[in-house]
Amino acid sequence: MRAELFQLPRRRSRLLCEAFAGALRAGGRHEAKITLVTPADREVTSDAPLVAHYGLEGPLRDLHRARCREPGRFRTLLFDLGYWGRHEGGRYAGYHRAVFNRLHTAYDHAQIYDRARVERLGVPRAARAHLDGQYVVLIGQSDKAGWVYDLGPGEWEREAVETMRCHTDRDIYFVRKLSARVSAQPPAGTAPTTEPLAALFASAWAVVAHHSNALLDALLAGVPVFCADGMARGLAETDLTRIESPRRVSATEVDNLIACAANAQWTMAEVGDGTALRSFEAGGML
């Protein structure tokens, strides 16, 4: 497969592009070209069957969104920081995850995932579900994340609150994404909070987000989650009209999902030695 990797003038972007290009070329089945871009570039395009990049700066946002609109024609891989162990072994050496055409790694309920990696990362076992939560926690997404999903700033969160308000009178606390700018304002009908997530989860009825790594933490804390996408979707409820009837899952199910997530991230060395590539191929992504 012919691949084009877009490299920003950032050390992590360069290291990932060089590592993944090397892995693609090593097997002899793929071609890999690295193209340098800057945040100031107005537009970049590619007709390569596979495009990969880290981050969504400058022209990469439009490139990523345009290609994701044609998943039958293109495959587009977005590298991002991992769920855990992001800086293990050094600032740039830690774990990274990959999203293909907006699709996060699928969780297979029938599969028992190996726990060696999650245990080495020190992720705790899931707590028993608590049934006496009081309020809803709504976690906002960043401006760039909304852009990728063709959503305006705060659009999904506003619609989520409107839906929930038709089905619950519970307090809804809004936690903004720290990197958010335009979408940082709390939706009407919510109360903003800067309370640490762990403290909020202790008495939460449910945690709601379009997608967020924090949903994995909520599940580990025994709190039901609602989402539209992301790794947590495998154990989440997606219908917000059911906010008073959240999906209850066992600690065993949560532990298995967490193991799945831990195995869906790779160190910089594993990106370079072909471990990540073999996982992509085995999963039918390439």
Side-chain angles (χ1 to χ4, degrees), residues 32 49 51 68 70 76 111 132 134 165 173 209 244 252 280:
V51 156
C68 285
E70 299 185 75
T76 307
Q111 182 174 342
D132 56 352
Q134 304 165 17
R165 277 288 166 241
Y173 291 102
E244 283 297 323
T252 299
F280 300 156

Side-chain angles (χ1 to χ4, degrees), residues 158-169:
R158 289 191 298 272
E159 293 180 357
V161 172
E162 290 174 4
T163 299
M164 287 190 285
R165 277 288 166 241
C166 294
H167 299 277
T168 187
D169 58 3

Side-chain angles (χ1 to χ4, degrees), residues 183-218:
S183 58
Q185 294 301 314
T190 70
T193 180
T194 57
E195 189 81 8
L197 289 177
L200 287 171
F201 294 165
S203 299
W205 171 255
V207 179
V208 178
H210 182 276
H211 67 284
S212 173
N213 292 354
L215 295 178
L216 297 177
D217 295 325

